[in-house]
Amino acid sequence: KYAKVWTKDGPPLKVYTERQTKRLQGRIGMTTRAPFLVRYAMRYGNPGVARVYDAMRAEGCDRILVVPMYPQYAASTTATAMDEIGRALA
């Protein structure tokens, strides 16, 4: 079933997440003078939360806002994403 929704550019979750990331980076870049990076991480999969967090710290980020992109709150989605952030911070 998943093969039916696969795009020519790859898996839909990755393709659309990358597009959202680029567009948000562009939109924020137009409205702020301060350096602002937009990155995405996957709770399950790549790039993983800890890897992206470490990369952002290496790029000089000292304040990081995390926005889970689930369409609704649920302990099985949003809460576990925040748990993963907590593990990366530890």
Side-chain angles (χ1 to χ4, degrees), residues 20-41:
Q20 284 181 320
T21 302
K22 288 176 186 172
R23 288 178 179 166
L24 185 56
Q25 178 71 59
R27 176 70 60 105
I28 290 172
M30 292 181 341
T31 60
T32 182
R33 291 184 209 170
F36 203 103
L37 302 176
V38 177
R39 301 291 185 261
Y40 74 92

Side-chain angles (χ1 to χ4, degrees), residues 17-76:
T17 299
E18 286 175 349
R19 285 182 192 167
Q20 284 181 320
T21 302
K22 288 176 186 172
R23 288 178 179 166
L24 185 56
Q25 178 71 59
R27 176 70 60 105
I28 290 172
M30 292 181 341
T31 60
T32 182
R33 291 184 209 170
F36 203 103
L37 302 176
V38 177
R39 301 291 185 261
Y40 74 92
M42 298 288 181
R43 170 68 181 91
Y44 302 102
N46 289 312
V49 171
R51 189 172 105 200
V52 173
Y53 172 75
D54 290 343
M56 291 179 79
R57 295 289 294 161
E59 289 182 72
C61 296
D62 58 2
R63 294 178 65 183
I64 298 173
L65 173 65
V66 176
V67 181
M69 298 295 288
Y70 299 104
Q72 75 290 327
Y73 175 85
S76 61

Side-chain angles (χ1 to χ4, degrees), residues 2-3 5-16 18-19:
Y2 196 65
V5 297
W6 201 273
T7 72
K8 66 177 177 54
D9 297 321
L13 181 60
K14 183 173 189 270
V15 170
Y16 293 119
E18 286 175 349
R19 285 182 192 167

